[in-house]
Amino acid sequence: MGGDGDGGDAPIIHFVFVHGACHGGWCWYKLITLLVAAGFKATSVDLTGAGINLTDSNTVFDFNHYNQPLFSLLSDIPSHHKIILVGHSIGGGTITEALCKFTDKISMVIYLAAEMVQPGSTSPNNSNMTEGEEDIWEFTYGEGADKPPTGIFMKEEFRRHYYYSQSPLEDVTLASKLLRPAPVRALKGIDKLPPNPEAEKVPRVYIKTAKDNLFNPMLQDRLVENWPPSQLYILEDSDHSAFFSVPTILFAYLIRAVSFLQI
C-alpha cells in the first residue's frame, strides 16, 4: 500500500504504519486512502507472522525477528523521504526499537493508543491488556501443551467490546476474517532497549483513545507522564481501533502533527 511516484529528490513526507498484536497492515486501509488522496506517501507493513506474512506466528520467538519486516522496509526507503513512523497498541514497542535503529532516517514517531516507553526504562503498565480480564485471551501451543504458549489471540466473543466498540460493523466483520494469533514469546521482548539519547531528540506524538476498553485511558496518561511527548492529541470518541472508529479525525491529527516539522 502507498502512494505513487517519488518526484526526484525533493523531500517527501512518508507515513509508515505499524499494527498492533493480531492485526496487520490491512487495518490502516482507511488512513492510507485518505493520506494518498491528500498527496502523501503512505505504507503499511505486516510484521512477521501477521497479515499476509507467510510465517507461522507460532515459530516467532524473538522480538527482533517479529520486527524484521519493518527494519527491512526502513532500510530500503530513500534518504529524501521524511519518515513519519506510526505505531498502534503494542506496536509502540516496535516503533521505539525502530527509532533506536534508524534514528537518522526518522523525522517523527507517533504513538496511537500505544506503548510509549523511554529506551532504558520499563513500562509502568505490565501490559496494555485490561487488568483482571486475562480470560478474554486464548493461547496457542505450537510446541505442545506441555510447553509455554507460542501465540495469543482474543476470543471472538470479546473482540467487539475491547477492540471495536465504536467501529462500523463492516470493519468488525473484515477484522474477523483477518486477525491472526500474535507471537506471545516475541512480545515479551518489548521494553528491553538500552538508553538512547539521540533517539530521544526525534519529535514524538501521542494520540490517546478516550473510549478505549482495552488500553485504559488512565494507563495511557501514565505513559505520557513518564515520557512526555512534544504533542498530545485526544480522540474523544475513539475505541482502541481509531483507524476504524474515527479515521477522518485521526487523519486530521496526523496532518496537524507533521505540520510542525521543519521539512
Side-chain angles (χ1 to χ4, degrees):
M1 289 181 170
D4 298 323
D6 287 349
D9 291 334
I12 293 173
I13 295 178
H14 187 163
F15 288 88
V16 175
F17 291 97
V18 179
H19 59 81
C22 303
H23 289 69
W26 54 267
C27 70
W28 300 104
Y29 79 96
K30 291 182 178 180
L31 265 297
I32 288 178
T33 300
L34 290 167
L35 287 163
V36 171
F40 294 96
K41 180 83 174 175
T43 307
S44 62
V45 65
D46 288 321
L47 299 178
T48 306
I52 61 173
N53 183 281
L54 296 178
T55 305
D56 181 353
S57 62
N58 288 301
T59 66
V60 182
F61 304 133
D62 178 76
F63 195 49
N64 191 70
H65 181 202
Y66 178 61
N67 295 331
Q68 193 58 49
L70 174 63
F71 301 158
S72 296
L73 171 65
L74 294 176
S75 295
D76 292 341
I77 293 177
S79 59
H80 64 285
H81 285 219
K82 306 303 179 182
I83 298 173
I84 313 300
L85 194 55
V86 184
H88 175 243
S89 195
I90 207 165
T94 295
I95 67 170
T96 302
E97 182 162 341
L99 172 64
C100 292
K101 288 180 178 290
F102 297 91
T103 307
D104 292 341
K105 297 192 73 171
I106 296 172
S107 296
M108 177 177 280
V109 282
I110 300 178
Y111 295 81
L112 172 62
E115 280 285 306
M116 182 179 67
V117 179
Q118 184 177 21
S121 65
T122 57
S123 174
N125 311 320
N126 291 330
S127 166
N128 68 358
M129 295 181 191
T130 303
E131 295 180 15
E133 293 288 353
E134 287 78 8
D135 61 342
I136 70 175
W137 305 98
E138 60 183 327
F139 295 91
T140 55
Y141 295 84
E143 295 186 317
D146 59 331
K147 300 288 179 62
T150 52
I152 187 171
F153 203 40
M154 186 180 287
K155 296 177 182 177
E156 185 175 3
E157 62 266 31
F158 296 111
R159 294 173 194 164
R160 174 69 168 162
H161 176 73
Y162 286 103
Y163 282 150
Y164 314 120
S165 63
Q166 307 297 313
S167 298
L169 284 173
E170 58 263 37
D171 289 321
V172 181
T173 302
L174 173 69
S176 72
K177 306 297 183 184
L178 298 173
L179 291 169
R180 293 174 63 184
V184 65
R185 291 194 207 171
L187 295 178
K188 290 182 179 179
I190 197 171
D191 302 342
K192 304 295 186 184
L193 295 170
N196 192 318
E198 286 304 308
E200 293 198 38
K201 295 177 183 178
V202 177
R204 281 177 298 106
V205 178
Y206 197 91
I207 302 178
K208 174 182 171 181
T209 44
K211 292 185 177 179
D212 196 322
N213 293 328
L214 183 63
F215 197 0
N216 190 312
M218 290 188 293
L219 299 183
Q220 297 182 55
D221 290 339
R222 192 181 303 169
L223 294 177
V224 170
E225 291 167 5
N226 281 20
W227 195 25
S230 54
Q231 299 180 60
L232 172 64
Y233 299 90
I234 302 174
L235 293 165
E236 297 288 355
D237 296 316
S238 179
D239 56 22
H240 189 60
S241 304
F243 39 73
F244 289 158
S245 59
V246 290
T248 55
I249 301 173
L250 177 56
F251 166 73
Y253 285 176
L254 294 178
I255 299 306
R256 177 168 173 78
V258 300
S259 71
F260 291 93
L261 285 175
Q262 301 296 320
I263 301 296

